[in-house]
Amino acid sequence: MRVCSILLTSMLLFCITRSVVRAEEIRVIAFSTDPSVVLADNFGEPRNGHAHEGIDMMGDKMTPLYAAVDGTVRSLNIPEASWGYAITLQDADGYTYHYLHVNNDSPGTDDGAGGTQNAYAPGIVKNATVTKGQLIGWLGDSGNAEEAGSHLHFEIRLDDVAMNPYASLVAALYPGSYDPVEAAAESPDINTDLALVSDGSIAPCVSGSLIKSATFSAVYYCGADGKRHAFPNDRIYFTWYVDFKNVKTITEAELAAVPLGKNVTYRPGIKMVKIESLPNVYAIEKGGTLRWIKSPDIATSMYGTTWNKKVDDISDAFFTNYTMGEDITSARG
């Protein structure tokens, strides 16, 4: 981790430049402001020489801000810091939730003289207990947001390392929903989908390559972890690739030198699946997470009227490659 400058204001540690970002995960939260804001994934975008470590949601001044979780107020910016008024909450698991550019104006003005009474809701003080969904303050353009316009800069961190909060915000805004296009985009390759990472050692195969031996037809994906990951069948393979032209044939000895890893699962968003012994139809999310689609109408909204032609059977023998997630009870948006 690169050493970064730390400003200490009102007991809030704010790192100007950071180089380490946590892998994306979904925290179960309440949406942190009103749904009228513009939600887009701008995490990681370049901002003044560093990567953006939160999500900016553009909205009107004095739009309510809500506690994302049950927890405590770890810190408030009083007086206003260079990045404006800000609130930091902490949950029981140690994750922190940061709200920056909280309002500093008198209602209906841009005078910068609104004071804390127009920034923080009554009772929001350091160490106060908050309940998920509770009003904690109001959106604004305080600090260095004056030129950008009023918005909430929202972060989630663990041990002061940022994670992308976009998926958590989407899940909060559209509970029980699923977007096939978004699901596919979140798993652009098998390394990402299976969370395969290098341990730093020299790998026996090239990460991202496809390999097989001359003797057997089985195709393997070489992961960033230096292991070969098998495609259980060609139906799964063709959710990731359009043909076999990039599959490299190696000797049996070379193949045997690559440790066997996990089975590759269906790419999210491309197909739906059902287990041979169960009638339920499932959508697929990152990491082989299955989500039961609760009605044909929902399936139609996601995959069109011919959705039933996009359902593959999974053998009971491969069911353990998957995990069960939240049911899909509504269409996105």
Side-chain angles (χ1 to χ4, degrees), residues 201-207 222-226:
S201 61
I202 298 175
C205 59
V206 177
S207 175
C222 178
D225 58 352

Side-chain angles (χ1 to χ4, degrees), residues 112-125:
T116 57
Q117 67 270 25
N118 288 300
Y120 309 128
I124 300 303
V125 296

